[in-house]
Amino acid sequence: EYDGTRGHFDFEEAEDARSYDLYVSPTPTGEGALLLGRDLKKSGALVKGFVAGRDFWAFIVWKDGSGRLSRPSRPFKFRLEDHFAEK
């Protein structure tokens, strides 16, 4: 489906990372961020739960083997569009 509610997220993987969490916010400051991708194992994971046609900012946080969390990445702005013609 190309309805703008899900997408694959590519990011630079950290050497010590065991898993990644993807937070998405309607603001570049991270205010109101929601965890939409939990315990992702690698870059390129499919993440669902978006609203098509709106700007969002994504932040990646990774966990090491001891469960320690990294600082959030710099925000990445994106917008998913609804390209599903058969509605």
Side-chain angles (χ1 to χ4, degrees):
E1 292 182 37
Y2 299 99
D3 61 2
T5 62
R6 61 190 184 154
H8 290 274
F9 283 82
D10 295 312
F11 50 86
E12 187 175 324
E13 296 183 17
E15 187 175 315
D16 296 335
R18 297 291 181 255
S19 67
Y20 302 87
D21 291 337
L22 176 80
Y23 290 86
V24 177
S25 171
T27 70
T29 63
E31 184 177 357
L34 298 174
L35 177 59
L36 293 185
R38 181 186 305 268
D39 292 327
L40 306 175
K41 298 304 177 197
K42 62 181 182 173
S43 177
L46 179 64
V47 179
K48 302 175 184 179
F50 301 101
V51 176
R54 293 193 181 166
D55 290 339
F56 291 101
W57 285 263
F59 303 83
I60 295 289
V61 176
W62 56 268
K63 296 176 207 165
D64 66 12
S66 300
R68 291 181 297 220
L69 296 173
S70 71
R71 294 179 144 241
S73 67
R74 290 185 177 173
F76 172 78
K77 184 178 180 181
F78 69 97
R79 174 189 286 242
L80 299 176
E81 298 294 340
D82 185 351
H83 294 285
F84 190 66
E86 304 298 323
K87 287 192 177 184

